[in-house]
Amino acid sequence: MPLGYAKIALGCRAFDAAPSYRPSSGYNSQHWTTNAGQPVWNNNSSLTVGARGPILLEDYHLLEKLAQFDRERIPERVVHARGAAAKGFFEVTHDISHLTCADFLRAPGVQTPVIVRFSTVIHERGSPETIRDPRGFAVKFYTREGNFDLVGNNFPVFFIRDGIKFPDMVHALKPNPRSHIQENWRIMDFFSHHPESLHMFTFLNDDVGIPLNYRHMEGFGVHTFKLMSREGKDTYVKFHWKPLCGVKCLMDDEAVVVGGKNHSHASQDLYDSIAAGDYPEWQLLVQLMNPADEDKFDFDPLDVTKTWPEDLFPLQPVGRLVLNRNVDNFFNENEQLAFCPALVVPGIAHSDDKLLQTRIFSYADTQRHRLGPNYLMLPANAPQCVHHNNHHDGFMNFMKRDEEVNYFPSRSDPVRHADPYPMVRQSLSGRREKAIIPKENNFAQPGERYRSWDPARRERFLQRMADMLLDPRCTREVRRVWLGYWSQCDVQLGQKLAARLQAQAAL
């Protein structure tokens, strides 16, 4: 008789055996389960309508996994803990009103106040800004139709394409929970199961992996969104921020020197530049695609591990972002500053990108945990336009309310629905399933990017990858998997990396 059921036959004392299954890694089951113990048969794919989505709210395991992850840190952000913010404006320079009915994009010359937060991703709030890590590039537009949060990074792609893997990915990149030391063997082990990450590594381990500072850094919306015209026509769009002062990076030895002198060098550069009147500026450009053409390529346009070739989808200018004011208080306008990709305005809509759809839930959920359910009442997060709903009370609610009617509709309250605006109305069909997208094509774009570099840049990338794989705890199996992946990207890349590892007695 199994130990856990030893006393079931004894009637009223049946549950005395339960303590043997108390939460402990010493009593792990051999398969994944939910927190309530239900078996999880697929921990890699969200539940979607068809292989490409959208995601279903009934995926309890996905929501539980993200909600649990969102609450892992109190009160520091789980990711993007270290950051710097500044305020300014966005100005439309080119007319795209035929593509979108978004009010803040209605005509050239229109200006919208913004606040921007730059950040490192993985390490703690006090970590140096010279670490090799993606950088967050989040812009909050205070439009007349509410806030639009464009929450992106300094790379155009990402490690994974399904948000159900986001907690696992961050756990692998963060320090070992036993030693609290970031270790390459853990990173190489996890991503050896996810070849879609190769493209992201060609950015992370490239020279752009350590920006000189925030002013000399690109930004990308990463995801595919939709622009909605007044007539209801939708167009796929990707957003790009290009710094007018150019892209500049730190080499590994330079980062050691800079970080040794000032672990807040990027934050100080941003603050000092604005204080001196040398205002950072970026140009906003977009790539556009007709959704009717999305099946014409050897990659899925909604896949965040892919870029859209600029020769097929040229960059088109839209406007400029100027940061001309430093924050008045770091805690109020940086630590309490909260972004969420769910916050879009009429004229901009979400696509079925699986990672984007999970971020729509997860970001708002983590902000409610970190800052409280009324985090959108905080000045930095509150819209700068009139607004009204019946969401009230809860922790830290400081809104003055004197209404007697807090329900809708009511004949005693004149509030009404807003005027209709165009929404995505595509038809959906497909089985309810947990699946990988049909067009993975994980190796073509990383290989193309590697071959586009000069020999010295390739050499630096090779050495950085070799350093990660040379971690003493990185197994022979994991190394061989990575060599197989890189060989499929580029035969010479795989051969050179194998020779590098063999020369250092790795194999």
Side-chain angles (χ1 to χ4, degrees), residues 124-155:
E124 296 92 337
R125 194 161 51 195
S127 57
E129 293 179 312
T130 50
I131 56 177
R132 183 169 296 277
D133 195 28
R135 300 308 196 262
F137 194 121
V139 183
K140 186 182 294 290
F141 299 79
Y142 299 103
T143 86
R144 301 192 305 185
E145 297 177 306
N147 292 352
F148 169 41
D149 287 1
L150 185 55
V151 192
N153 290 330
N154 67 322
F155 302 149

Side-chain angles (χ1 to χ4, degrees), residues 10-267:
L10 299 181
C12 65
R13 305 296 293 176
F15 290 100
D16 286 358
S20 66
Y21 286 112
R22 68 188 182 279
S24 168
S25 59
Y27 298 101
N28 283 343
S29 70
Q30 295 302 306
H31 57 259
W32 286 110
T33 73
T34 65
N35 285 347
Q38 290 93 354
V40 174
W41 67 270
N42 188 332
N43 191 33
N44 290 319
S45 299
S46 304
L47 183 64
T48 57
V49 179
R52 295 181 71 239
I55 288 172
L56 295 174
L57 185 62
E58 67 187 79
D59 192 344
Y60 172 78
H61 171 57
L62 167 68
L63 298 186
E64 178 185 78
K65 186 175 181 179
L66 292 175
Q68 184 84 27
F69 172 74
D70 293 342
R71 291 159 174 79
E72 285 186 2
R73 298 293 185 273
I74 303 173
E76 182 177 287
R77 286 173 169 89
V78 180
V79 288
H80 298 276
R82 176 67 190 267
K87 297 180 284 188
F89 65 89
F90 172 78
E91 180 180 9
V92 179
T93 57
H94 292 71
D95 187 7
I96 61 168
S97 59
H98 61 292
L99 296 172
T100 176
C101 61
D103 177 75
F104 80 102
L105 297 173
R106 64 188 178 274
V110 173
Q111 290 190 358
T112 300
V114 300
I115 188 168
V116 179
R117 187 174 188 268
F118 307 101
S119 56
T120 56
V121 176
I122 294 300
H123 294 281
E124 296 92 337
R125 194 161 51 195
S127 57
E129 293 179 312
T130 50
I131 56 177
R132 183 169 296 277
D133 195 28
R135 300 308 196 262
F137 194 121
V139 183
K140 186 182 294 290
F141 299 79
Y142 299 103
T143 86
R144 301 192 305 185
E145 297 177 306
N147 292 352
F148 169 41
D149 287 1
L150 185 55
V151 192
N153 290 330
N154 67 322
F155 302 149
V157 295
F158 202 62
F159 291 104
I160 54 173
R161 60 170 69 97
D162 192 321
I164 199 170
K165 300 307 300 177
F166 191 81
D168 300 297
M169 178 203 74
V170 173
H171 287 168
L173 289 166
K174 276 189 172 291
N176 185 320
R178 178 183 293 176
S179 64
H180 201 66
I181 298 172
Q182 187 183 43
E183 296 170 331
N184 285 329
W185 70 269
R186 289 164 37 84
I187 299 171
M188 293 289 92
D189 174 35
F190 173 75
F191 287 111
S192 71
H193 298 278
H194 297 283
E196 68 268 29
S197 66
L198 294 169
H199 202 185
M200 182 66 166
F201 275 99
T202 65
F203 287 88
L204 181 63
N205 280 344
D206 181 25
D207 293 345
V208 296
I210 308 178
L212 175 64
N213 50 51
Y214 295 131
R215 290 186 300 128
H216 292 86
M217 186 178 80
E218 290 180 295
F220 300 90
V222 182
H223 300 284
T224 299
F225 291 85
K226 284 188 173 183
L227 298 179
M228 302 296 301
S229 72
R230 298 186 188 281
E231 297 73 31
K233 177 178 172 55
D234 58 323
T235 304
Y236 281 147
V237 60
K238 278 185 174 288
F239 297 102
H240 301 249
W241 298 106
K242 301 293 183 184
L244 262 61
C245 58
V247 176
K248 296 182 181 180
C249 309
L250 291 171
M251 294 296 105
D252 299 81
D253 55 345
E254 294 173 326
V256 172
V257 174
V258 172
K261 294 180 178 178
N262 182 2
H263 79 297
S264 301
H265 81 285
S267 294

Side-chain angles (χ1 to χ4, degrees), residues 329-343:
N329 180 276
F330 179 85
F331 183 79
N332 290 345
E333 297 177 302
N334 188 316
E335 289 304 296
Q336 292 193 121
L337 184 59
F339 295 88
C340 177
L343 302 184

